[in-house]
Amino acid sequence: MGAMTGLLLLLWAGVTVGSVLDLQKRIIGGRDCLNNERKHHVILIGDHGPRESGICGGTLINNQWILTAAHCWKREAGWTMKAYVGRSPAAREVEITEHKMYKDKHGEHDIMLLKLRDVITDITPVLPPKCDSSPIKTDAVVKIAGHASTYRSPTNERVEGSSLILQCAATNIVDCDGLKKCLEKNNPELWQFYKYQHWFCGKRDDVDVSVGDSGGGVLFKDMFYGINVFTGDGGRACVQAIGFMNICHKEYADWIRETTATPSNKQGWEG
């Protein structure tokens, strides 16, 4: 069985019964990504046998490192993690040799670097952010993407599943106060985890993310500024904003540069 065939089977394994037609719809409020878009998008698959799998996104930031969400890593026994680089149908499996998560005195943050065995020479990595000269401000338009479910029910609930075609959407940067209050009130456990981390928020009517979109990159002016990590509204779509890890924050930017540094590039990723 070819690598791409196996990937497609894993993606389909997450599709709920009766949702085949839903795959023809768009990411909630999005569209099929164009062929020249998001070539640096990476598919991460957690595999636990023929009937259980998980999907996340990631971003190729240089020729050997992926940046994604830490919660995408499957820590339980029996799980294996696979990375697929290149857009479908040319996506190919590349072995992950290291995973590194950022930690400080508060604990682990939801940001992770994955090192690949192979040096990727045929895909151009994402452009790093210009954090000082071109910062993201409220109302700015950012772009998101993912392979998760494109469907929500008539009662506005996300339906689990996967889209075999990478979906692209745009959303607006908003103030995070509403999401913070929502988390603190309705999901205190999640709030305890995220309250010490560094993130910004996006929201647009009729645009949302689903389970499986975590780890995908947030682009501003085609540069990489954030990682999709969570929403504050459980299974309901388009109620609260989306939380994005802020890779321009100095702690994260320094960690990314130091972790990805090589003897020939002592500065690492230039973000």
Side-chain angles (χ1 to χ4, degrees), residues 24-241:
Q24 305 306 315
K25 299 182 181 180
R26 303 293 183 255
I27 190 173
I28 302 175
R31 57 170 174 78
D32 292 357
C33 296
L34 302 177
N35 290 336
N36 62 348
E37 289 183 288
R38 297 274 182 167
K39 291 187 176 181
H40 44 67
H41 184 85
V42 179
I43 302 172
L44 301 173
I45 297 290
D47 185 12
H48 194 262
R51 293 192 175 183
E52 192 171 10
S53 63
I55 180 174
C56 269
T59 303
L60 191 69
I61 64 169
N62 65 26
N63 61 12
Q64 208 166 10
W65 287 93
I66 295 166
L67 190 60
T68 185
H71 75 259
C72 289
W73 190 257
K74 299 294 186 182
R75 308 169 194 238
E76 299 85 354
W79 282 88
T80 58
M81 291 293 297
K82 301 177 181 180
Y84 289 83
V85 300
R87 288 282 303 277
S88 173
R92 63 189 186 277
E93 182 182 345
V94 180
E95 181 182 342
I96 299 169
T97 60
E98 297 179 46
H99 69 282
K100 297 181 179 292
M101 302 170 185
Y102 179 80
K103 296 180 181 179
D104 64 9
K105 64 181 181 180
H106 301 290
E108 188 175 284
H109 292 228
D110 202 359
I111 183 171
M112 175 172 66
L113 281 162
L114 302 175
K115 188 174 185 180
L116 301 176
R117 178 198 62 196
D118 299 338
V119 175
I120 308 301
T121 59
D122 60 336
I123 299 171
T124 301
V126 69
L127 292 173
K130 294 181 179 178
C131 301
D132 295 329
S133 61
S134 189
I136 290 184
K137 299 179 180 179
T138 301
D139 293 329
V141 177
V142 297
K143 297 178 181 180
I144 57 178
H147 277 282
S149 175
T150 64
Y151 179 68
R152 61 185 178 194
S153 73
T155 57
N156 211 30
E157 295 180 351
R158 298 179 182 89
V159 176
E160 291 189 18
S162 302
S163 170
L164 301 184
I165 301 174
L166 183 64
Q167 300 292 298
C168 286
T171 191
N172 298 87
I173 298 302
V174 298
D175 188 278
C176 287
D177 284 350
L179 180 55
K180 291 176 179 178
K181 291 176 182 177
C182 174
L183 285 179
E184 190 171 11
K185 178 180 179 179
N186 300 318
N187 199 332
E189 184 176 353
L190 195 65
W191 171 245
Q192 288 301 313
F193 175 61
Y194 280 113
K195 71 177 184 179
Y196 59 81
Q197 302 184 43
H198 309 291
W199 36 279
F200 60 96
C201 296
K203 189 176 189 300
R204 178 179 285 189
D205 290 345
D206 298 322
V207 171
D208 208 350
V209 294
S210 299
V211 176
D213 287 325
S214 290
V218 181
L219 304 186
F220 175 60
K221 297 181 179 178
D222 293 323
M223 296 177 288
F224 186 27
Y225 278 78
I227 304 166
N228 172 29
V229 285
F230 71 96
T231 63
D233 53 1
R236 298 185 65 83
C238 301
V239 176
Q240 285 294 339

